[in-house]
Amino acid sequence: MKRKNMAVASLALLLTITGCTNQSISQSDTASFTESASQEKTGQEAASQEVAKRDIFAMDTYMTISVFGENGEQAADAAETEILRLDALLSTGDEDSEISALNRQGGGSLSEDASVLMERSLEIAKSTNGAFNPAIYPLMELWGFPSGSYHVPDEAELAEAKARTDMNLLSYDAASKALSFGREDMAIDFGGIAKGYTSSRIMEIFREQGIESAMINLGGNVQVLGNKPDGSAWRVAIQSPDEETQYLGILEISDKAVITSGGYERYFEEDGVRYHHIIDPATGRPANSGLTSVTIVSSDGTLADGLSTSLFIMGRDEAIAYWRAHRDEFDAILLDENQKLWITENIADLFSSDLETEVIR
Ligand code: AMP
Ligand code: MG
């Protein structure tokens, strides 16, 4: 058995390209950009390209923040404070978090952040026909992901836990922000959406502080503000599920969240079988849809995160149908088990990859 989310997260640190101009990606490229941005430029240009950086471990993953221009240090501090605040509020593993308290008490009155997450989760759950399920926690616990005491359940155990993830038993009143569980052994988990919500919140903070150029990477989930300081688009490397390949391709993008879900992020192995952390609510088992990675690109980070999890569960054909019905809201890059990429047409020209790629129209 192994748990490898830490290793993957540190790889993700190397994979976000903040400014290199060629396709080769390495830690030194990232570093050299930072140096050239802060050392080679002079006068006003240098001031506008000054970068404030933070490396943080939170939400069980490594995160980096890069903020450019005036007020960057102050904005980076505010981003760090926001990450720690939301981590303390939303963590299912922290007994003192709001979510843990709600789960212990069988519901309660939600904070502003939790209410936004609940509303967005229910919205995404509805539109994805229940692929996204914020009440998934009993199944996460059954498989042992929160504790690390992994366990492959039998049919009876699966049926029992599945009954406790029935979303029809959740009642939520948006006006009073009151959540109640139809049975007390239910539990919610915003793990499928929390990082996207966090990156969206940080972008709001940056905008309020007058920041025009920034990039954050929350364990491989990237959101960028504006363009790079030199005015060109950000170049974001899409993480590969395969340890041999460094990245799937490069996406050139401005003002967007680029959020990836894959079974490789957290898993254990037993008797040669790999069991990962994205659970198909219909079966109670790790999703086995034929997709190995799903990246969602959207200006709405919360949506991008919710949909990366959902489309990974749906599989290629259903994911494509979903995109066709919601094409104004997001774009997607899907990787199937034959190492073939599928990319929606609006971003196809912004993406470069060595892999065979088919455009979804
Ligand atoms: P992500 O990396 O965004 O795909 O999120 C994976 C996390 O979402 C898991 O670690 C769980 O906390 C949670 N999760 C797993 N399955 C589901 C599901 N079907 N719906 C909503 N959240 C899920
Ligand atoms: Mg997600």
Side-chain angles (χ1 to χ4, degrees):
M1 290 192 191
K2 66 180 171 183
R3 181 170 159 151
K4 54 162 271 182
N5 56 313
M6 302 264 283
V8 170
S10 60
L11 182 68
L13 275 182
L14 307 184
L15 289 187
T16 306
I17 313 173
T18 56
C20 37
T21 50
N22 59 41
Q23 289 263 353
S24 78
I25 302 171
S26 68
Q27 193 163 23
S28 61
D29 280 332
T30 311
S32 70
F33 167 64
T34 317
E35 276 160 27
S36 65
S38 59
Q39 288 171 7
E40 283 172 18
K41 310 287 176 181
T42 52
Q44 221 174 354
E45 206 182 354
S48 72
Q49 297 207 351
E50 227 163 76
V51 57
K53 284 183 152 280
R54 301 286 183 277
D55 293 323
I56 301 162
F57 186 81
M59 300 184 175
D60 222 9
T61 196
Y62 288 99
M63 304 183 165
T64 55
I65 298 172
S66 308
V67 192
F68 293 84
E70 273 176 46
N71 292 337
E73 291 293 338
Q74 196 186 321
D77 284 343
E80 182 164 2
T81 304
E82 182 67 354
I83 288 170
L84 299 177
R85 183 183 76 81
L86 290 173
D87 193 10
L89 204 73
L90 302 175
S91 168
T92 45
D94 174 357
E95 283 188 2
D96 297 326
S97 75
E98 176 183 352
I99 300 305
S100 293
L102 289 167
N103 286 342
R104 261 195 316 273
Q105 293 155 17
S109 178
L110 304 195
S111 66
E112 186 60 36
D113 296 285
S115 72
V116 172
L117 282 162
M118 184 48 83
E119 281 172 36
R120 298 302 308 274
S121 292
L122 293 175
E123 217 174 87
I124 296 170
K126 192 169 171 206
S127 84
T128 62
N129 238 335
F132 193 84
N133 181 345
I136 201 76
Y137 201 60
L139 282 164
M140 296 303 291
E141 281 187 306
L142 177 63
W143 287 92
F145 286 103
S147 62
S149 301
Y150 301 116
H151 166 66
V152 179
D154 62 28
E155 287 302 328
E157 288 172 315
L158 276 176
E160 192 277 334
K162 262 178 65 181
R164 296 193 279 127
T165 62
D166 179 355
M167 269 196 310
N168 297 319
L169 299 175
L170 274 189
S171 43
Y172 178 65
D173 179 48
S176 62
K177 300 187 177 22
L179 173 71
S180 60
F181 299 160
R183 41 189 288 179
E184 61 180 23
D185 51 3
M186 294 180 75
I188 54 169
D189 173 10
F190 291 134
I193 197 173
K195 289 195 199 90
Y197 175 71
T198 303
S199 63
S200 283
R201 280 286 310 135
I202 293 172
M203 292 299 140
E204 278 173 35
I205 291 171
F206 286 169
R207 286 193 187 95
E208 280 162 18
Q209 301 209 357
I211 302 298
E212 291 176 353
S213 175
M215 186 279 305
I216 58 177
N217 181 348
L218 313 185
N221 298 312
V222 174
Q223 193 157 355
V224 299
L225 180 65
N227 286 314
K228 286 192 307 196
D230 68 5
S232 63
W234 293 98
R235 293 161 51 80
V236 177
I238 309 299
Q239 207 168 318
S240 169
D242 172 2
E243 284 162 46
E244 311 289 298
T245 327
Q246 261 202 327
Y247 58 99
L248 295 178
I250 308 285
L251 187 65
E252 299 205 23
I253 210 87
S254 315
D255 269 323
K256 289 278 190 295
V258 181
I259 294 191
T260 300
S261 282
Y264 60 91
E265 289 175 320
R266 188 171 305 176
Y267 63 84
F268 67 96
E269 281 170 355
E270 198 172 294
D271 298 331
V273 182
R274 188 182 280 203
Y275 300 95
H276 64 71
H277 69 135
I278 302 177
I279 305 294
D280 182 348
T283 62
R285 300 173 183 279
N288 183 18
S289 70
L291 290 177
T292 54
S293 169
V294 171
T295 299
I296 304 291
V297 181
S298 173
S299 43
D300 179 345
T302 313
L303 179 77
D305 198 356
L307 290 184
S308 69
T309 310
S310 310
L311 270 60
F312 181 86
I313 294 167
M314 288 178 188
R316 189 194 70 200
D317 293 348
E318 214 183 306
I320 291 175
Y322 185 89
W323 175 76
R324 287 187 176 133
H326 299 264
R327 52 185 301 151
D328 295 340
E329 296 165 36
F330 73 98
D331 279 288
I333 303 169
L334 317 174
L335 180 70
D336 70 21
E337 54 201 352
N338 302 316
Q339 286 288 98
K340 181 171 171 184
L341 283 168
W342 300 75
I343 185 165
T344 56
E345 60 180 339
N346 303 339
I347 56 168
D349 290 343
L350 308 173
F351 184 66
S352 49
S353 172
D354 291 339
L355 294 174
E356 184 194 350
T357 306
E358 184 153 336
V359 178
I360 305 167
R361 298 176 198 283

